[in-house]
Amino acid sequence: MAEGAESFLPEARDVESLREAADGCRGCGLYRDATQTVFGAGKRDARLLVIGEQPGDSEDTRGEPFVGPAGGLLDRALIAAGVDRDDVWLTNAVKHFKFRRAAGGKRRLHQKPERSEVLACRPWLLAEIAAVDPELVVCLGATAAQDLFGPSFRVTRSRGEILVAEEPEGLRVLITVHPSSVLRTPGDYRDAAFDALVSDLSKAAEALGAR
Ligand code: URA
Ligand code: SF4
């Protein structure tokens, strides 16, 4: 069982101090095979904080969240939804890339993080949410949503809704799917899957605009 990130948190809780400390995190086993910690990035006092699952291959190499194919799709969806990219903080539930090697090859294939790894990494996410103090959070997919609402939470039942979390208490959270799920949708249905993601994200834009 992972000991968790708690003991690696710095005293200063601004995002730069957090990012620096997260570089040295050994709170679970995922740091061993990954290249580096991929901490959140964006506007440090963003009104909207977006949570994905974990860095992918490109993110692990570059050290930044959402810079690969899923990130490209997310960018397009945010623009289509009218969300100002300059007012977003992007992060992940888990800060290290979990992967396995394709048979015989060098290719690194994404592996879903275990609940124990998500829980181990949770202190970083909570500290990040506290530091950025957004008006609204968007959870992209089950890993992020279950991190905030528990393991039996189902994205398909609540997507497009804004829920209120118990921890962090009172946090407003919009639920939607992960952009990778749109990329995996078969050709004929992909446009509809993209439009559905945009429609969910538009509710975030509306919620922010209404304030
Ligand atoms: N998928 C995620 O969940 N996060 C990233 O940063 C990239 C891909
Ligand atoms: Fe620490 Fe999270 Fe990386 Fe595990 S995944 S080592 S808890 S930063």
Side-chain angles (χ1 to χ4, degrees):
M1 180 68 193
E3 64 168 88
E6 195 67 52
S7 61
F8 296 90
L9 290 192
E11 256 172 51
R13 294 296 174 89
D14 57 285
V15 288
E16 286 316 320
S17 304
L18 290 168
R19 180 199 309 285
E20 225 171 89
D23 264 347
C25 186
R26 304 277 184 270
C28 76
L30 293 183
Y31 75 89
R32 285 195 203 103
D33 295 329
T35 308
Q36 58 191 320
T37 304
V38 180
F39 202 69
K43 186 179 180 191
R44 65 199 62 207
D45 58 350
R47 298 172 68 203
L48 184 68
L49 184 148
V50 176
I51 310 173
E53 182 190 66
Q54 62 170 345
D57 185 84
S58 320
E59 290 79 15
D60 173 78
T61 306
R62 289 181 44 190
E64 283 174 62
F66 286 107
V67 292
L73 189 132
L74 177 63
D75 281 350
R76 293 197 295 283
L78 285 171
I79 291 167
V83 175
D84 188 349
R85 275 299 314 267
D86 294 340
D87 202 14
V88 178
W89 181 266
L90 287 174
T91 193
N92 285 300
V94 169
K95 301 321 194 227
H96 275 107
F97 179 34
K98 181 173 184 176
F99 62 93
R100 63 185 173 81
R101 298 262 171 205
K106 285 193 175 163
R107 232 156 60 83
R108 304 188 299 174
L109 304 176
H110 164 274
Q111 278 195 299
K112 196 173 152 55
E114 301 291 336
R115 176 104 185 132
S116 62
E117 291 155 345
V118 175
L119 291 177
C121 214
R122 200 160 191 262
W124 293 120
L125 182 67
L126 295 182
E128 223 175 352
I129 294 171
V132 175
D133 191 23
E135 288 171 31
L136 183 69
V137 163
V138 172
C139 283
L140 302 172
T143 299
Q146 291 177 353
D147 195 344
L148 295 183
F149 295 101
S152 54
F153 188 85
R154 293 288 166 267
V155 169
T156 42
R157 276 189 222 143
S158 302
R159 68 175 297 179
E161 286 178 34
I162 294 179
L163 307 177
V164 179
E166 282 175 19
E167 198 201 356
E169 197 188 341
L171 185 73
R172 299 189 330 136
V173 184
L174 175 88
I175 306 296
T176 189
V177 297
H178 195 284
S180 296
S181 75
V182 178
L183 291 175
R184 283 193 309 267
T185 302
D188 287 353
Y189 301 99
R190 195 171 305 146
D191 286 352
F194 180 80
D195 292 347
L197 173 61
V198 171
S199 158
D200 290 347
L201 293 174
S202 302
K203 295 184 182 135
E206 275 167 35
L208 292 175
R211 294 205 143 199

